Amino acid sequence: MRKLILLLIFISAFLINTTGCELKFSISGEPKEVYKAGDEVIIEIQMTLTHRVCEIELSQSKFSFEGLKVLGATPWKEVHQGTYIRQVKIQLADDNKSEAKLSLTRKCSKEGGFCEIVLNK
């Protein structure tokens, strides 16, 4: 009976660690409360694969943009085992929207991941 309980605990711990990606956005430099059209911002993206092997490549990550223009991006760089960073340089568009959004979506059989950063204009 104890072996069965230990086996169930081990399997549960393994399943908890095999869920999707952990995504985090941060602004390089000093963030502002409100940005204006034409402002350039560097956003750092950190992705940690919380499962051992991911079935989709880093390049299959889907970005979407609203109210901004992408000026450039660095390639994904592994900084620790299973943790990658990338920087994206954006410029806020001259439109009549009050926000600009950058989103990242990863879809896989292990829940994937989603993250979004919103900049007030």
Side-chain angles (χ1 to χ4, degrees), residues 74-115:
T74 62
W76 288 106
K77 178 182 175 185
E78 188 169 22
V79 291
H80 302 289
Q81 185 175 3
T83 300
Y84 300 85
I85 61 167
R86 181 180 199 182
Q87 291 185 333
V88 178
K89 185 174 184 179
I90 61 150
Q91 183 178 45
L92 280 84
D94 188 11
D95 55 13
N96 293 326
K97 296 182 181 179
S98 62
E99 308 179 320
K101 296 179 186 178
L102 171 63
S103 304
L104 173 61
T105 305
R106 288 181 53 85
K107 292 185 180 178
C108 70
S109 63
K110 297 183 177 164
E111 295 184 23
F114 176 79
C115 191

Side-chain angles (χ1 to χ4, degrees), residues 14 17 20 27 34-35 39 43 45 49 53 66-67 71 75 77-78 88 93 96 98 110:
F14 177 75
N17 288 331
I27 295 176
V34 178
Y35 293 87
D39 281 353
I43 299 173
I45 305 160
L49 303 178
V53 178
E66 291 180 36
L71 301 177
K77 178 182 175 185
E78 188 169 22
V88 178
N96 293 326
S98 62
K110 297 183 177 164

Side-chain angles (χ1 to χ4, degrees), residues 5-20:
I5 292 171
L6 288 174
L7 180 62
L8 289 174
I9 291 171
F10 176 76
I11 290 172
S12 297
F14 177 75
L15 290 176
I16 289 170
N17 288 331
T18 60
T19 57

Side-chain angles (χ1 to χ4, degrees), residues 23-26 43 45 62-66 68 99-105 113-119:
L23 302 169
K24 182 177 136 184
F25 286 173
S26 60
I43 299 173
I45 305 160
K62 301 290 183 198
F63 287 91
S64 62
F65 315 95
E66 291 180 36
L68 57 92
E99 308 179 320
K101 296 179 186 178
L102 171 63
S103 304
L104 173 61
T105 305
F114 176 79
C115 191
E116 180 176 74
I117 188 168
V118 178
L119 304 173

